[in-house]
Amino acid sequence: MYGDHSGTPEQVWSHDAYADDGDADFLALIQADGRVEPRDAMPNAYRASLVRQIAQHAHSEIIGMQPEGNWISRAPSLKRKAILMAKVQDEAGHGLYLYAAAETLGVDRSELLDKLHTGRHKYSSIFNYPTLTWADMGAIGWLVDGAAIVNQVPITRCSYGPYARAMVRICKEESFHQRQGFEILHTLSNGSPAQHAMAQDAVDRWWWPSLMMFGPPDDASPNSERSMRWGIKRFSNDELRQRFVDMTVPQAQALGLTLPDPELAYDDTTGHWRTGAIDFTELFEVIAGNGPCNAARMAHRRGAHERGQWVRDAAAAYADKHRSATATGAVA
Ligand SMILES: [Fe+2]
Ligand SMILES: [Fe+2]
């Protein structure tokens, strides 16, 4: 998913984490690493946890179209424009797969969108940062989609079948996104001094927010333990963050760009790259609605939804017509 904010204060489980753990069949299936399918019995809390996570993921995909949509009209060449449009369209598709996966749990898509539009559902805070230059398209693809891949690959093994299967295709597309971002930065980094500086500036601004996409540290993430017991989550926030750092540092070196962390160092004893302390107060501020673009993103989303009403009306009218024609035998 695009960032796990499961440890934020407003989303902490309100009831005992061990209550409602499901019947013996459910637990046996989970323990045998089987897949739970839509018609299977499942504990209410398992269902609610999945709806919340899949919806947050779906919302993040469609809100995530906005920062990059901002640059489609200003891409530096026709080829770059075509690639960026394909990438942004992929994100719309990811939203669709995920809303469809959430609907298999008995919720309605319009209800989920309503919760997003009224602020009762969250989306990843990374999309509340502005995209100031073309190099931001590179930094988002390389770092934000890169972090998304690290978060999402384990979800292909999630215990809930429809979510796991949706994630297989999404991950393939995310890996294209990550490479196109790397390629944009590689071109800029090896271009003129001004282009190199633009690439470095984008990396400086996106590095720390991308580390925060993995959510709060493990000791401040109360949802994680149960999600792991239920096979929804496979690795902790800190494990995934470490995996991302280890993957990304050599790529930064290949790009000829610096990561903005003077304490970043390779630890010979553990074989991992160690970062400086992450300032999570900023993450919580952005989650609380005080990020640079929160209000603009939500206003744009609500406006797009209102402007799309005629499309939903037309689709519903077509479905009704098809249904009544089928009922009267006019359509095979
Ligand atoms: Fe995506
Ligand atoms: Fe993506």
Side-chain angles (χ1 to χ4, degrees):
M1 61 197 290
Y2 276 119
D4 178 2
H5 303 145
S6 55
T8 56
E10 69 274 30
Q11 291 177 332
V12 171
W13 291 97
S14 56
H15 51 273
D16 175 15
Y18 285 88
D20 193 19
D21 224 355
D23 62 18
D25 286 350
F26 173 80
L27 286 176
L29 183 68
I30 294 287
Q31 275 154 19
D33 204 18
R35 293 290 168 272
V36 180
E37 297 298 336
R39 290 192 179 83
D40 294 344
M42 63 187 90
N44 287 334
Y46 176 83
R47 185 186 298 273
S49 177
L50 277 166
V51 168
R52 186 181 63 87
Q53 177 170 335
I54 299 172
Q56 179 177 313
H57 191 164
H59 301 328
S60 302
E61 298 284 357
I62 62 167
I63 296 279
M65 297 167 72
Q66 292 188 35
E68 290 169 297
N70 181 35
W71 279 90
I72 289 175
S73 63
R74 289 175 288 156
S77 69
L78 185 59
K79 182 180 156 195
R80 295 287 185 200
K81 188 192 290 271
I83 293 170
L84 187 60
M85 281 175 69
K87 199 259 187 193
V88 173
Q89 281 182 327
D90 281 354
E91 307 301 4
H94 298 173
L96 288 176
Y97 309 155
L98 290 162
Y99 285 120
E103 284 183 316
T104 65
L105 290 158
V107 288
D108 192 79
R109 187 178 309 198
S110 58
E111 184 187 323
L112 300 177
L113 285 170
D114 188 56
K115 284 185 171 159
L116 171 65
H117 298 154
T118 53
R120 287 174 290 157
H121 266 181
K122 301 286 182 190
Y123 57 88
S124 177
S125 293
I126 194 79
F127 302 118
N128 287 323
Y129 291 89
T131 43
L132 304 179
T133 70
W134 170 252
D136 286 20
M137 299 305 96
I140 288 182
W142 178 47
L143 295 173
V144 175
D145 292 273
I149 292 169
V150 173
N151 262 326
Q152 290 172 357
V153 165
I155 306 175
T156 62
R157 291 169 45 231
C158 165
S159 61
Y160 188 59
Y163 191 25
R165 290 189 288 274
M167 210 49 58
V168 172
R169 181 165 172 183
I170 290 178
C171 283
K172 287 187 179 150
E173 293 177 348
E174 294 300 355
S175 98
F176 156 70
H177 299 170
Q178 200 255 357
R179 284 175 211 186
Q180 67 90 33
F182 182 90
E183 199 268 339
I184 289 172
L185 287 180
H186 191 266
T187 303
L188 290 173
S189 180
N190 291 289
S192 68
Q195 287 172 322
H196 181 90
M198 187 195 286
Q200 183 61 58
D201 167 66
V203 170
D204 288 348
R205 284 181 288 108
W206 289 93
W207 171 247
W208 291 106
S210 71
L211 292 187
M212 292 183 218
M213 285 175 65
F214 296 90
D218 292 347
D219 52 15
S221 186
N223 276 359
S224 289
E225 192 271 331
R226 187 168 65 170
S227 282
M228 288 179 82
R229 198 168 71 248
W230 276 344
I232 297 173
K233 198 172 166 71
R234 299 283 178 178
F235 300 96
S236 76
N237 295 354
D238 288 336
E239 283 172 324
L240 292 170
R241 188 169 10 248
Q242 184 64 58
R243 190 174 294 183
F244 174 70
V245 170
D246 289 341
M247 178 183 98
T248 307
V249 173
Q251 293 176 0
Q253 292 167 339
L255 285 170
L257 296 170
T258 313
L259 296 170
D261 179 358
E263 292 175 52
L264 188 68
Y266 188 73
D267 185 336
D268 275 325
T269 52
T270 62
H272 293 296
W273 285 90
R274 292 247 295 267
T275 68
I278 302 172
D279 180 8
F280 283 101
T281 53
E282 179 188 303
L283 176 71
F284 290 126
E285 272 297 296
V286 182
I287 290 173
N290 304 321
C293 297
N294 292 55
R297 300 287 185 244
M298 285 308 295
H300 188 85
R301 170 93 278 281
R302 287 192 204 101
H305 189 71
E306 281 159 24
R307 288 191 297 280
Q309 184 61 48
W310 69 274
V311 178
R312 293 188 296 280
D313 290 345
Y318 180 78
D320 281 349
K321 191 172 141 191
H322 191 78
R323 239 189 321 269
S324 52
T326 307
T328 58
V331 174

